[in-house]
Each structure stands twice: as structure tokens, then as C-alpha cells.
Amino acid sequence: MQNALVPVKTTESSHNELIQLVSFNLDQEEYGVDVLKVREIIRMPIVTRVPNTPHYVEGVINLRGKVVPIICMRKKFGLFQVENDKQTRIMVMDMEGELMGFIVDAVSEVIRISGSEIQPSPAMVAGGIDQECIAGVINQADRLLVLLNLEKMFSRDERNLFTGM
Amino acid sequence: MPPIDCEDQELLDGFLTETTELLEKLDDDLVALEKSSDDTDLMNRIFRSIHTIKGASSFLGFDLLVKVAHKTEDVLNRLRKKELFVTSEIMDVILEATDLIKLLVADIKAGDIQERETEGTIAKLLPLLTEIPTPPPVVTKEPEVAAAPVQAAEPPPATSQQVTPEQGTVTEAATPTASTKVTADAAPTAAPTAPTPPAASAMPVAKPTTAVAPKKTAPPKPVESKGGEDLSDNSTVRVDVKRLDDLMNQVGELVLERNRMIQINQDLQQNNVNRNDFNEEFGKLTKRMSFVTSELQMQVLKMRMIPVEKVFKKFPRIVRSMSRDLGKEVDLQIIGEETELDRSVVDEIGDPLIHLIRNAMDHGLESPEERLAAGKSRCGTLVLAAVHEGNQIIISIKDDGRGIDTDRVGRKAIEKGLISEEQFTSMGQREIFDLLFLPGFSTKDKTTDLSGRGVGMDVVKTNIKKLNGLIEIKSIKDVGSEFILRLPLTLAIIQSLLVEVEGEIYSIPLSSVLETIRVDQRKFHLIGGQEVLKLRDIVLPLIRLQKVFNVQPRGETEHFCYVVVVGAAEKRMGLVVTRLVGQQEVAIKSLGNYLANIPGIAGSTILGDGRVALIIDPVAMSESCE
């Protein structure tokens, strides 16, 4: 296990630094993203469907005059669909300078962890989540948190697909 | 070379802004000077420009720049004193020196001062400073250097003079104080160093050669003639003071209306008003608000407008150098350069226009001999005109050359396998002209510096399409051709037609809507799988937006639907929609990088109720229709 930690240490240069994560729920599991990437968390507004886009693109919303694309995380991760409820939130994230919204089941809290707590993700991940965007796993006494790097979620190819369609 | 160690970045910015402006105007003035060489005002303006550049750059310690500007200034001074007379050869050298100055300024701007080959240019300036045919090498070098500075000085006065006092515009540049400071400070410094124009032969000899000759430590880079073209930048705006005042007034009104709104809201909260009063008051407020905002919108739009002159002014220089290269005589007439259009449009039309002008010069106009043989005047005419028409701007490039030879175009296209023989025989003139826009098409057998790669017209088409513009070609063999570009005035706010497709609202740019009709779906015909509608004398291909956009149909389909007839370039088609919602002015919002380039969607906008509506791109639609 110690050996396996090494690559993580190199990628996460902040070895013992405290990292703040926003944790959210998706189909029973808890995930975390870097708090600095999250611009805001909003309730579901009216979403305008955009035709001829990948199925996980829910559409676009009007965020105070800015048009922001919305991705459904459940669809993206290949999870079954549920009705939006009171807990459903959109996390608006800064993706390399552009805003993008992600629909999640619920947003719970901001947690602090030290960089050394991050472990590499196990080789097998169920549910069709791209291995690439999983930055690591945080294994605490009472919870298991999957650390996501959403910027990696859209591979180069996928972005080209987006723009080249 | 001294690094850019300017302590005061503002000073440097001011210098760059000013110098760039001066240089932009300089080209134009120099070409004008060649035509009217006895125009003293023009001459003096040019001289002052170069002088200002020289002064400012010596103040800031840009030695290379000073050297070139100084020599150019000397040559210009001789011209000014009538010791020399304006000839094409002299102008060539001066223009070359100007290019060199532009290149050097571009280096400074990039923060990367490089050793450039200046001696070549300076060597050309040198003979102009002395009439002694075989001067000793030392002498030769010096005058050259001197000539270059003259050129540099020329542009600055021209710009400042034109813009500031005459038009009363205000510089909104980030560093207005800085630029004035530079000039003020620089002038005194420059004055003492500026040599009184020598009786050319004597003075240069006396000066030590070393001071002038450029040190060739690093391998000098060749001077590219295009080096200075990207000098202009759009980070600062000049706005007429009056427009700014108007804007302030309108903002004042907006503030008043806001106060009124707060008041009404307060009354409502405290239940001080009865319903009728509230309705009336609120209705009034809404009207005034909409009036003020549309006024405000117009004003801001106007401030974004810049005269096409910004693009047009580089053409005399291009035409001049091309006419010399091609051995053709051309009279370039520019009409309507004061016509204003949005900055975003101005930025995009430069390239297409250059290609069209090149084409006109290279393919359109004949050589003087051919022209005389054809019974035309020796000198060809090229007219570049801009005019407003409705909410469009029309730019035309017209030459009186040989016109487009449809036979030749057709044969070339067949040769290149772009069309078949039968296709050609059934083609109308217009369709043949359209062949010109195909990538890779060229009537030239040989590729030259100027043309023959078949790229130009493709660039024109792409850029114009990007702007939602239309291109029209008129050409009569042996009489001339005209390329007409129709462009929207602005790209930010457009009039649009809102339509409903099975419950979803889409917006279609009104500029491309030709008409709307309500028709019975049973009147649609099917030709080869393509639904069409017989509309008067044309057969209109139909596109069902519901299918293209995969909208879930809701409820039963009615027999009657609406067809929006749209035109893109020369194509026409009908978009089938469920319902027409209305006309609205909408601000275009980008969908961002992730959703850019969705077929058929040009962007999005936000409706009155806060929802996002997608804007349909008729041009892309027409392509998917093919």
C-alpha cells in the first residue's frame, strides 16, 4: 500500500497540506471535488435541451445572464436515472476558465483532509466511471470518499467530439 | 541590444500606442504623397510623424529605432526642402524603412528586442542623402541611417493631428496621460539631437561611422515586408466625447427610472397603493424603462462602431506595391470609408478584402498594353466602396478589368475534376461564379506569390459566412467585375423570430428570414425523399426542425403548420415549425467551448422569462440540407 501511494504523492504535490473538498452524493456513494473549482451550488432551474449532443448533456441554463452547459452526472457515470427531488443540486464548476454545471443527487458539506490521506483508487471501479477522472480515494473511519478530477472527465477526444460534431 | 528596462511601463505603453497610431496613418500618407508630391501639409505631417517617433524612441533608448527613424527623417527633410523630388524609387525606399520601423516597434511591443538587419535598408536611404554618385563607403552608410528616421517620424503627427483636434475625439486609451507625457518629454530631448538637415554630402562625412553603423553581433534577421501589419491592436477605443456625454445622460435617466421603481416597490410592499394606481404607474414605468434601455443600447452599439477606414487605409499601400510588382497601372478609389460598423465585423473583414483586392489586381485588371488594345484607358480603376443599407453594410470591390470568363472557369473546374461536363453545360452564370469559391480552385496555371493556390476565395467565403454575410458576384466579360459583400452591422444583438417546435422555443435571425407562411402539411410533396413545397414559382426544400433537433412530438400533429422561408447566401429553404411566437431583439450568448459547433445552432439567447433559447444557424442548416 505504501508503494502504491507514491504516484499519488507525486501528482498531488500537496502531500501533507490540508485540502478542502466539497462532498456530494451520487447513487449512495460520496464523492469529493476541490473546493476551489466550485463556483456555486444551485437548485435545478429550467434547463433548455440542446439537440444533437451526447446523452449526458442535459442542456443549458441561464445563470444570471450567462449560458452554462449542464452535465448529468448520473448519465455520465452510467447510473440509472432518478427523478430530481428537493435535494438535487447543480454544482457550477470552473473548468479551465469556463463554467459548467453538474447535476448531483445532493451536496453535503465541505471537508478538510490532509493530502496524505488520499490513496490511489483501486484498479477496478464499478459503474463505468472513467478511471481517468478519479484522482484518488479517501478512506476515513466512517466514510469512503471518491476524489474526482472533473477536468479530466472530458478527454481530448470527447472535447473534439463536442466541438467537431 | 539594450533590454526593455523601461521603469515606467505606462510610459512604454503610451509610446507604443502613439507610435502604432502614427505608423498606421503613415503608410496611407506616404502613398498619398506619391500622388500629390507638392502637398506641403501632407509632407509636413509625414515629417512630423517620423520626427515624433524618433524623439520618443530616443527618449526611451531604443537605439535601432532611433537610427532608422533618424535617417528616414533626413531623407524626408530633403524632400521637404525640395532638394529631392518624390519618385516611386524614393518612395519604395522610404516605405521599406517604414516597414523596418514597424518591425522594430513590433519587437518592442513583444518585449523581445532583436538585432535586425537594418543596414540594407539604411544603405538604400544613403544615396538619397547625397547627390555625389560615388561617395566613400562611410558616407554612404550614414545617410542611409539618416533616411530611415525620417520615415519613422512621419506617421505620428499625421494621426494625432487628424484625430485629436479635427474630430474632437477623446482618447480612451488606458494611458492617455502617459502618451502625452511621452511626446512632451521626448520632444525637447529629440530636438537637440535632431541634426539640422545637412547639406547632405558634407555632414555625414564628418560624423564618425561607428556611431551610425549597426553593430552586427547577432545574425540579423531579414526584414519581412509584412512585419508591421499586426501592429494595430484593439485593446483601446477612441470614442467621440459627444457620444460619451449622451451615454452619461441616458445612464442618468436610467438611474431616475430605477429610483421610481424602488419607490413603486416600496409603496406596494407597504400596501399604500390600490391596484389600479399600481397598474398605471407600473405600466408607465415599463414603457419609460424600455425607451431608456433601447436608447442606451443604441448608444453603446454606436460606441462599438468604428469606421471601415481602419481596414481600408492599409489598401492603398497594398495596391501600390502590387501594381508595381505586376506592372499594372491602377487607380484605387475608396468611397465611404467613414461608414461605421461593429468592431467585431471590422476585425473579420480585413482578410477577405485583401484577397478580393489581390484577385481584382491579379486576375481582373489587365496590363496597360492589353488595356490599350482593348480600347480602355491605360490605367485600370479599382473602386472600394462601403455603404449602409438598412441594418446591413455593403462593401463592394469593383474593377474595370476583363471580367470573369465563365468558359474558362468552367473548363478549369472540369479539368480539376470539380464538376462534370454535363454539369457544366447545365450551369447558369451564377452557378459558375460559385465555382470560384471552391477550395483549391484557381484559374492560374502557375502558383505565384500573389495567387494560384486556390485558397483566397475559400477564405473569403469562410470569413463572410462566419459573419452571417452574403457574397454576390457581378461580372461582365471585358467590362469588369464587382464583388459585393453584405454584412450585418453587429454580431452582438440581433432581431430574431421566435418559433415554437413542439413546445421548445427556438430563435431564427430575422436577417435571414424572407417570409413566413401557414400551410397545410398535405400540400407538401416528396422528391427523392426530400420534402418540398411549391411556393409560387420555386420549389422550396423543407427541413422539419422537429426531426433535425430530435424533439419529442407532443400530442397529435395538426395538418396546418408554419413554414419559415430562410435564405443563406444564395440558397433558400423552408423550416417547418409548429407555431410562430413573435419577433424579438435578442442578445447573442455563446454556448461556450464545450458546446460550440453544434450543427444548426449558432448560439443562444435569454428570453424575457429567463429561459435559454437556442439560435438557429440558417447557413449551417442549408449545408446539412445538401
Side-chain angles (χ1 to χ4, degrees), chain B residues 200-356:
Chain B
S201 46
M203 274 284 278
V205 189
K207 283 189 196 165
T209 329
T210 46
V212 187
K215 292 156 204 156
K216 270 196 182 178
T217 43
K221 305 205 170 171
V223 182
E224 301 147 38
S225 62
K226 279 181 122 187
E229 269 185 25
D230 53 352
L231 268 186
S232 57
D233 70 331
N234 295 322
S235 52
T236 58
V237 189
R238 282 172 182 277
V239 179
D240 192 323
V241 185
K242 200 180 159 300
R243 284 188 179 174
L244 210 55
D245 287 347
D246 289 349
L247 191 67
M248 197 54 226
N249 283 340
Q250 264 134 20
V251 171
E253 293 207 18
L254 194 64
V255 169
L256 292 182
E257 298 307 331
R258 181 203 56 192
N259 294 347
R260 181 78 199 129
M261 191 168 75
I262 293 174
Q263 180 66 47
I264 291 179
N265 184 42
Q266 245 169 26
D267 290 351
L268 187 70
Q269 300 293 329
Q270 292 163 358
N271 279 327
N272 279 352
V273 279
N274 65 42
R275 207 183 149 73
N276 280 344
D277 282 354
F278 173 77
N279 279 352
E280 195 190 323
E281 283 295 312
F282 195 73
K284 274 193 207 160
L285 177 69
T286 313
K287 273 181 206 147
R288 283 198 305 262
M289 274 285 217
S290 95
F291 177 73
V292 175
T293 36
S294 44
E295 286 278 295
L296 204 58
Q297 182 191 331
M298 279 302 294
Q299 282 297 333
V300 175
L301 207 64
K302 273 189 199 157
M303 294 200 343
R304 279 183 59 88
M305 301 285 242
I306 47 177
V308 274
E309 188 194 2
K310 194 171 172 351
V311 180
F312 280 12
K313 70 183 167 193
K314 58 182 171 187
F315 293 140
R317 170 77 194 276
I318 293 171
V319 168
R320 178 187 182 275
S321 70
M322 279 193 66
S323 62
R324 286 180 67 82
D325 289 350
L326 293 167
K328 291 178 181 176
E329 288 174 29
V330 182
D331 177 23
L332 175 69
Q333 294 172 10
I334 295 182
I335 301 170
E337 58 199 342
E338 70 287 343
T339 312
E340 292 187 323
L341 70 169
D342 197 88
R343 315 178 64 77
S344 48
V345 182
V346 171
D347 291 344
E348 294 287 342
I349 55 168
D351 282 350
L353 285 180
I354 287 178
H355 285 294
L356 288 176

Side-chain angles (χ1 to χ4, degrees), chain B residues 47-63:
Chain B
F47 184 76
R48 274 195 307 271
S49 302
I50 292 284
H51 185 74
T52 309
I53 292 179
K54 190 195 71 175
S57 42
S58 84
F59 174 70
L60 291 169
F62 299 122
D63 293 348

Side-chain angles (χ1 to χ4, degrees), chain A residues 48-49 62 65 98 162-163, chain B residues 504 549 589 593-594 597 612:
Chain A
T48 302
R49 197 183 65 90
N62 166 17
E98 281 208 43
F162 258 97
T163 53
Chain B
E504 292 185 2
F549 292 154
K589 306 260 177 186
N593 283 343
Y594 292 101
N597 302 332
V612 180

Side-chain angles (χ1 to χ4, degrees), chain B residues 3 40 64 97 118 157 178 180 234 257-258 287 302 328 384 395 425 461 466 509 526-527 529 592 614-615:
Chain B
T40 337
L64 261 186
T118 53
T180 38
N234 295 322
E257 298 307 331
R258 181 203 56 192
K287 273 181 206 147
K302 273 189 199 157
K328 291 178 181 176
L384 185 59
I395 297 177
T425 46
K461 188 178 77 172
K466 207 156 70 183
L526 209 60
I527 302 180
L614 300 175
I615 300 171

Side-chain angles (χ1 to χ4, degrees), chain A residues 46 48-54 57 59-67 69-70 95-96 98-100 154 159 162-165, chain B residues 504-506 547-552 589-599 601 604-607 609-614:
Chain A
I46 300 170
T48 302
R49 197 183 65 90
V50 181
N52 303 327
T53 46
V57 176
V60 288
I61 60 162
N62 166 17
L63 185 70
R64 293 184 304 278
K66 237 181 129 43
V67 176
I70 301 297
M95 306 274 286
E96 290 169 359
E98 281 208 43
L99 293 184
M100 207 157 185
F154 300 103
R159 266 182 218 172
F162 258 97
T163 53
M165 273 185 317
Chain B
E504 292 185 2
I505 305 284
Y506 289 90
K547 273 191 194 146
V548 180
F549 292 154
N550 297 315
V551 189
Q552 297 302 321
K589 306 260 177 186
S590 139
L591 282 172
N593 283 343
Y594 292 101
L595 295 179
N597 302 332
I598 297 171
I601 301 293
S604 63
T605 187
I606 294 170
L607 299 177
D609 61 0
R611 272 193 294 175
V612 180
L614 300 175

